[in-house]
Amino acid sequence: MRMKCSPFFNVHEYPGNTMAADKISPTKAIDKFLSFIRVTIEQIWYHLEVYPHESFSEYMFYQLQVYSSRHPAVIGYTDELMSNLRKMANEGILLKLYIEVYEADSKKYSVGFSFRNSLLFEQLKNDTQFLEYGESQFSFDSFLLINNLKSFLFSVIQELNLIEKQPLKEAGNFKILVSTTDDVEMSKDDKWILERTYDEDNRENSLAFKDVKIKSFKEVKLRYLNIEGYIACY
């Protein structure tokens, strides 16, 4: 049976398509990406003290010391969040992710991630069967992917540790926002917001008029997966 030709990928283009490499399928690549996103979000909650430190457990992820909430309600919320993000990733419409932390009604921190121009998501938008491909049909280099995600996560943790911060007066005062393609309807609730993609230039211009300190994270540039990020302190 002939594999469907991809308009975005060449199966020989990326490391991992040799017998000696540790190859993973598109589905497993998405799994690793989403695990990384979950861990990253929890590090933001921990280091920005959205939840008390004593409610977290310490463990190792990609040889990095990280923290995960033990609170059942937080675990349930995170599970639901990741389920929504998985649906968007599988459909190739996950474009940007923001975590905003508030003190009372004032925004204190904003952490943003962009996955724009990631060929993996472009492919998923155009080929619904792409996730069904096995390692023998299409594969990614697991070692290269994990090393890039690890480097990005280390950069996030480092910047979170370097910023000057004061304990929040109210625990759990945050919002998570996701920007997708324009074919997704807008919906919102207290802490889960889906919004249409807006002009990145307008966002940057609006920040320029405020006293905001912005630090960028190390980028992931794998062509099939690109990640940029920043933290803004208000």
Side-chain angles (χ1 to χ4, degrees), residues 8-216:
F8 297 101
F9 291 102
N10 181 328
V11 73
H12 301 295
E13 256 185 84
Y14 300 102
N17 293 295
T18 64
M19 294 300 292
D22 183 11
K23 300 188 295 183
I24 58 172
S25 66
T27 297
K28 291 181 180 178
I30 291 290
D31 288 344
K32 290 188 181 298
F33 165 74
L34 291 173
S35 294
F36 152 80
I37 291 295
R38 180 173 188 141
V39 171
T40 302
I41 290 173
E42 291 210 274
Q43 303 327 292
I44 293 167
W45 288 340
Y46 177 84
H47 288 281
L48 297 184
E49 301 182 12
V50 172
Y51 297 114
H53 281 178
E54 55 267 26
S55 67
F56 288 80
S57 295
E58 179 184 323
Y59 69 103
M60 300 300 290
F61 181 81
Y62 293 161
Q63 300 178 324
L64 297 174
Q65 179 178 299
V66 295
Y67 301 89
S68 181
S69 176
R70 300 191 308 269
H71 195 288
V74 178
I75 293 172
Y77 170 80
T78 311
D79 288 344
E80 182 180 0
L81 168 64
M82 297 312 301
S83 177
N84 280 282
L85 293 181
R86 179 176 292 277
K87 292 175 184 176
M88 295 178 191
N90 287 347
E91 294 174 10
I93 60 173
L94 183 57
L95 187 65
K96 298 177 187 176
L97 175 68
Y98 302 96
I99 299 95
E100 297 182 344
V101 179
Y102 293 82
E103 186 170 41
D105 293 328
S106 299
K107 186 189 297 185
K108 195 165 184 181
Y109 306 104
S110 177
V111 186
F113 304 99
S114 171
F115 318 112
R116 297 172 71 182
N117 302 318
S118 293
L119 296 183
L120 174 58
F121 294 140
E122 291 295 325
Q123 177 65 25
L124 288 168
K125 281 198 303 185
N126 289 274
D127 184 0
T128 57
Q129 296 181 336
F130 188 60
L131 285 179
E132 299 175 11
Y133 291 174
E135 288 88 344
S136 62
Q137 295 173 294
F138 197 96
S139 61
F140 299 95
D141 185 334
S142 176
F143 180 79
L144 184 63
L145 175 59
I146 289 175
N147 271 357
N148 274 265
L149 295 179
K150 175 183 176 180
S151 180
F152 189 96
L153 178 59
F154 178 80
S155 173
V156 172
I157 294 172
Q158 187 177 46
E159 291 298 339
L160 289 171
N161 279 319
L162 287 175
I163 62 174
E164 296 181 7
K165 48 186 177 285
Q166 298 177 349
L168 298 176
K169 296 177 182 179
E170 298 181 11
N173 191 9
F174 69 92
K175 290 182 180 180
I176 290 183
L177 304 93
V178 178
S179 291
T180 65
T181 51
D182 288 337
D183 59 342
V184 176
E185 294 297 325
M186 181 185 293
S187 64
K188 65 173 67 177
D189 60 27
D190 289 340
K191 290 185 178 179
W192 172 250
I193 300 176
L194 297 181
E195 63 174 10
R196 295 183 183 276
T197 303
Y198 61 90
D199 188 354
E200 183 75 8
D201 292 333
N202 289 339
R203 182 187 70 81
E204 291 177 350
N205 290 338
S206 66
L207 289 177
F209 293 100
K210 300 177 181 179
D211 184 17
V212 182
K213 297 179 181 178
I214 301 178
K215 292 288 187 178
S216 297

